[in-house]
Amino acid sequence: METISQISRMFDVSTRTLRYYEEVGLITSSRIPDYAYRVYSQDQVDRLKFILLMRKMNISLADIKKALLSSESSELVQVLEKKLEEVRDQIISFSELESILRDMIDMIKSKEIKDANLIEDKIVMIEDDLINQVMESTQLISKKLKEKQTMKKEERKVETGKLKDVRIIHIPSFTVASSHCPDGEAPEEEAGRKLEDFILSKQLWEVKEDFRVFGFNNPNPDASGDHGYEFYVTIPEDMEVDPPMVKKTFQGGLYAAHGIKMGDFHEWQDFAAWLQASEEYDYERREPLGMEGSLEEHLNAYNYYRHNEKEFVHLDLLIPVKKR
C-alpha cells in the first residue's frame, strides 16, 4: 500500500493530478482503519503506470478511460490504432513538406541569382509547375497540421520561450473564507475537504452565485517536497465564518493569467518563462505569499460544487504583475 504523497514522489505527479484522476474514475484509493490518509493498492499503482504511459503518448483521458473501463482488450487496441493513425497522418504531412522544401532548395541552388536582395529574382527562379504543386500540396498539409495542433493543445505551448495565450486581467478585492492545511501527507486533499464542507453547508451558490475559488501552496515545497496548501473562496462580506475556516480579505490586483486543464501543472514553468521574457510586465510580489503571490483559480467552481460535475476541471494559473 502506498500513500498519495508516496505515489506523487514515486511518479513525479502532483497530488492534485492524482485526486483528479480519482474523481473522474481512472483510479481509486481506500482508507485503512485508524489511518488518516488514503492509500493505493498495488493494482492501482500498476493502473497509474498505465495511465501515465498513455499520457506520455498524448492519448486523451477520455480514450484512456474508455480503454480502462472495457473488459475487452479490443477497446485498447482501437485506442492505440486511433493514435497510430494520427501519427501516420503527421508523418505523411511532414514527408510531403520535406519533399517540397528539398525540390525548392535544389532548384534555387541550380540557378544564378542576379541580386540576392531582390525578392523578384527569387520568385522567378521557382518554376510554375513546382508553384502549382506547392499550392495543391500545402492545402492538405495545412489541414493535417491543424489537426496536429488540435491534438497537441494539452501539450506545452512554448514558442521561443513564450506561451501563446496569456491574458492580463484585474481581480478585485474580495472577502474570502480560507481553508488551510499547513502540512501533512496530502494537504490539498485535507484543505479541499474542509472547503467543500463549508461551501455545501452554506449552500454558497444560493447567497453568492458568482463565488470563486483560489488555491496556492502555503508553505511552498521544501527540499523534501513537504508543503502545505490553502484555499480561498469568495463570500458575502457579512457572512459568518466558523472554525476551521478563517475569514480574510484578498487584496486582488493585476495578474497575468494562463489557462490549463487539471493536471497540467508543468505549465507553471512555461508561464514563469513567459514573464521573464516579457517586455511589458514585471512580477509584483504580494499577499497571499504562499506561492509569492501566485494563485490557481478553479474555473468550474459553481458546477463543481453545486452540481457535482467533477469530470472536467480547468484552472487559471495567476501571477501578480505590474506594468514596466
Side-chain angles (χ1 to χ4, degrees):
M1 295 291 205
E2 306 286 351
T3 67
I4 190 170
S5 181
Q6 290 169 331
I7 292 293
S8 175
R9 287 193 288 267
M10 184 184 305
F11 294 108
D12 192 25
V13 58
S14 73
T15 56
R16 281 166 289 174
T17 299
L18 293 173
R19 291 201 322 278
Y20 179 62
Y21 286 171
E22 188 163 351
E23 286 175 357
V24 299
L26 291 173
I27 57 176
T28 59
S29 62
S30 58
R31 289 193 181 276
I32 297 175
D34 301 322
Y35 190 67
Y37 305 109
R38 290 185 173 275
V39 294
Y40 297 86
S41 67
Q42 185 58 49
D43 286 347
Q44 292 303 308
V45 173
D46 292 339
R47 190 180 180 95
L48 179 61
K49 289 179 183 177
F50 172 80
I51 293 167
L52 296 177
L53 172 64
M54 299 283 273
R55 292 295 289 139
K56 286 290 186 183
M57 294 188 289
N58 294 320
I59 295 174
S60 70
L61 289 179
D63 281 343
I64 294 172
K65 187 173 183 179
K66 188 186 304 181
L68 285 172
L69 293 181
S70 174
S71 59
E72 301 293 332
S73 60
S74 58
E75 191 68 53
L76 174 57
V77 170
Q78 288 179 13
V79 168
L80 295 176
E81 286 178 340
K82 175 184 174 184
K83 174 53 65 174
L84 179 59
E85 184 176 352
E86 292 172 355
V87 171
R88 284 172 173 164
D89 285 344
Q90 293 175 38
I91 292 172
I92 291 171
S93 295
F94 282 106
S95 294
E96 291 172 348
L97 184 57
E98 179 187 30
S99 177
I100 291 171
L101 288 170
R102 288 187 182 280
D103 287 347
M104 292 181 71
I105 291 169
D106 291 343
M107 182 175 294
I108 292 170
K109 284 182 175 180
S110 68
K111 298 175 182 281
E112 291 185 1
I113 300 179
K114 297 177 182 178
D115 186 338
N117 294 317
L118 292 180
I119 189 65
E120 291 84 357
D121 288 336
K122 295 180 177 66
I123 292 175
V124 298
M125 293 169 61
I126 304 173
E127 296 175 359
D128 288 343
D129 59 345
L130 182 56
I131 291 176
N132 292 334
Q133 180 188 351
V134 170
M135 298 300 290
E136 292 173 2
S137 298
T138 51
Q139 289 181 4
L140 177 61
I141 294 172
S142 177
K143 178 182 177 181
K144 291 179 178 178
L145 289 178
K146 285 180 181 178
E147 292 173 355
K148 175 178 179 289
Q149 290 169 356
T150 299
M151 289 188 293
K152 291 177 73 65
K153 279 184 179 179
E154 295 181 3
E155 296 180 355
R156 303 176 74 182
K157 302 170 184 176
V158 180
E159 184 178 69
T160 62
K162 296 183 179 181
L163 293 177
K164 299 177 182 178
D165 58 353
V166 174
R167 295 131 39 223
I168 302 299
I169 62 174
H170 179 268
I171 301 178
S173 175
F174 294 118
T175 300
V176 300
S178 163
S179 171
H180 185 206
C181 178
D183 53 34
E185 190 75 19
E188 295 100 331
E189 182 176 352
E190 185 173 337
R193 186 167 54 248
K194 290 189 291 185
L195 175 76
E196 185 163 8
D197 289 345
F198 173 80
I199 292 173
L200 296 181
S201 68
K202 295 288 188 180
Q203 293 194 317
L204 192 57
W205 53 86
E206 298 288 349
V207 295
K208 188 171 177 58
E209 189 175 14
D210 63 345
F211 74 91
R212 301 170 70 172
V213 173
F214 302 88
F216 51 95
N217 292 334
N218 187 18
N220 257 327
D222 58 22
S224 67
D226 292 336
H227 67 289
Y229 203 80
E230 185 169 1
F231 283 104
Y232 283 176
V233 58
T234 61
I235 60 174
E237 190 172 350
D238 59 353
M239 176 174 281
E240 296 291 331
V241 175
D242 299 319
M245 303 293 286
V246 177
K247 193 171 184 177
K248 296 184 177 182
T249 298
F250 168 60
Q251 73 180 72
L254 194 67
Y255 287 85
H258 168 58
I260 65 167
K261 290 183 179 180
M262 174 63 82
D264 292 342
F265 296 109
H266 61 270
E267 294 197 24
W268 267 119
Q269 181 179 354
D270 302 335
F271 199 10
W274 171 87
L275 182 58
Q276 188 174 13
S278 174
E279 298 179 355
E280 296 183 65
Y281 296 95
D282 282 326
Y283 166 71
E284 183 179 51
R285 186 175 185 268
R286 70 172 78 108
E287 294 281 357
L289 297 177
M291 296 196 312
E292 302 300 313
S294 294
L295 304 163
E296 297 163 347
E297 181 176 8
H298 193 314
L299 299 181
N300 309 90
Y302 182 91
N303 286 335
Y304 185 91
Y305 293 102
R306 175 67 178 88
H307 299 299
N308 200 35
E309 294 180 2
K310 298 185 176 181
E311 186 158 355
F312 299 103
V313 177
H314 291 79
L315 305 173
D316 259 352
L317 308 183
L318 301 166
I319 297 179
V321 297
K322 60 183 178 181
K323 288 281 287 185
R324 286 191 170 183

